[in-house]
Amino acid sequence: MKMQERIRRARRKAGLSQAGLAELVKVQRSAVSNWESANDVQPSMQNMVAIARACRVSIEWLGTGRGGMTSDPEALADIPAADAELVDAHEERALLAAYRNLARRSQHLVMELILALQAGHRGSKAR
C-alpha cells in the first residue's frame, strides 16, 4: 500500500474530512488532497507526525506501512473486520465475506479468475 492510501485510510478511520485533517495539521485542504492523490506528493516529516497524531495512527505505519495501523490494539476492537480494512463499497464487503467463506482451493480459483480478468482488461486498454 502506498503512503497516499495510508494517509487516506488514517483520515477515514479518524472520521475526518480532508478539510478537517487540514485544519488539525494546519495546512490547506489542497495539501491533504495532494498527499492522497496519485501525484506522489508526500508530506514533510513535521506534517507526517501531525497526521499520525490527528488520526491516532502509528507514525511507522503511516510512513512505511510496517507494523500495525495503530499502537492502540483496542482502537479497532469494536469495528467489524471489513470496516477496519476500510472496505467502502457494499459489493466489496459482500465479495470479501464470500471469499473468506470459500475453501482454500476455491479461493485460489477466484484469484486466478480475477488475475485473468485484469490481464484481459489491461490488454483491451492497450488496443
Side-chain angles (χ1 to χ4, degrees), residues 9-119:
R9 284 185 178 203
R11 176 179 60 78
R12 288 179 176 171
K13 180 197 87 68
L16 296 169
S17 64
Q18 287 184 343
L21 179 58
E23 184 177 327
L24 292 171
V25 177
K26 298 181 180 17
V27 296
Q28 298 291 316
R29 189 210 54 83
S30 59
V32 176
S33 177
N34 283 333
W35 297 335
E36 293 183 1
S37 74
N39 298 333
D40 286 330
V41 176
Q42 296 185 358
S44 67
M45 182 52 77
Q46 179 181 352
N47 286 336
M48 286 287 291
V49 171
I51 295 165
R53 284 186 179 146
C55 297
R56 297 176 45 208
V57 297
S58 159
I59 186 71
E60 180 182 8
W61 175 83
L62 190 63
T64 67
R66 290 190 301 262
M69 182 179 197
T70 177
S71 56
D72 178 9
E74 299 298 315
L76 300 176
D78 60 345
I79 301 174
D83 291 335
E85 294 170 16
L86 298 173
V87 176
D88 294 326
H90 171 74
E91 293 85 5
E92 288 181 56
R93 190 172 288 117
L95 182 61
L96 181 59
Y99 177 83
R100 287 179 174 169
N101 286 324
L102 292 173
R104 196 75 178 140
R105 173 72 180 135
S106 296
Q107 288 177 343
H108 288 291
L109 291 172
V110 168
M111 286 305 301
E112 288 177 22
L113 175 61
I114 289 170
L115 293 172
L117 289 170
Q118 282 181 327

